[in-house]
Amino acid sequence: MYADAKQAEQRGFLVTQSLFNCDVIALSKDKDFDEKCAHTVALAGAKINKRIYLEKHYPHWQIKEYKSDRACVDAVKRGDVDCTIFNSYGIAHIIASPELSGLHSKALAGSMDLALAVRNDNARLHSILDRSVTLVSRDVLNASMKSFAKPESLAKNTAAKTHGLLWQNKVFLAMSIITLLAVCVILVVVLFAMRSRKTENKLHQAEKQVEELTRKLQEQQDSKN
């Protein structure tokens, strides 16, 4: 999820430290697109990260919802909206280059710092995840995402659609591997936490037994005296 602590809290989430970040670009028909002006931007309804990004960096833009990213691109082409936005990792694999003909890209302000999110009533899990994300270097994750996000000039490729699907599969594979590693790390941390809790309980029980034994010895000593 992309959100700072305040935004996440307003939506009922707790977020960890950032895992990696990505740049954001706007697609429009205007070659000289001015991001400082008020615009109507097409946004797929389920894209919460993009919505939060726009609220933070472009609150003066009006959002118009569509069913999918492709529908957003079509709306820009028809002139129904001024632009739509994508993260730099996804655009080349979601929309094939020929479909972007006649549109221009513009790098926007800031970036999306993506993190893990949990409900705000699960502070213990949040604490575990927040420690876990530091076990993998953010630079390594950023480098991995960028290496899998190179567009390979889809416009020059006669098999652009097939090529795009292959890259989607590679990105999916990369994200699956990263997710699997993250889950493994989390499980290890949870197991250690559970083992630590069991050890604490045993120590606590031992302390009680020592206290009880000391009390009995003291009572015996007192009775002898």
Side-chain angles (χ1 to χ4, degrees), residues 148-163:
F148 278 100
K150 293 178 181 177
E152 291 295 319
S153 187
L154 293 179
K156 297 180 182 179
N157 193 334
T158 56
K161 187 173 182 180
T162 302
H163 187 268

Side-chain angles (χ1 to χ4, degrees), residues 14 18 75 101 110 121 149 178 210:
L14 295 172
S18 173
S101 176
D121 61 351
I178 291 173
V210 170

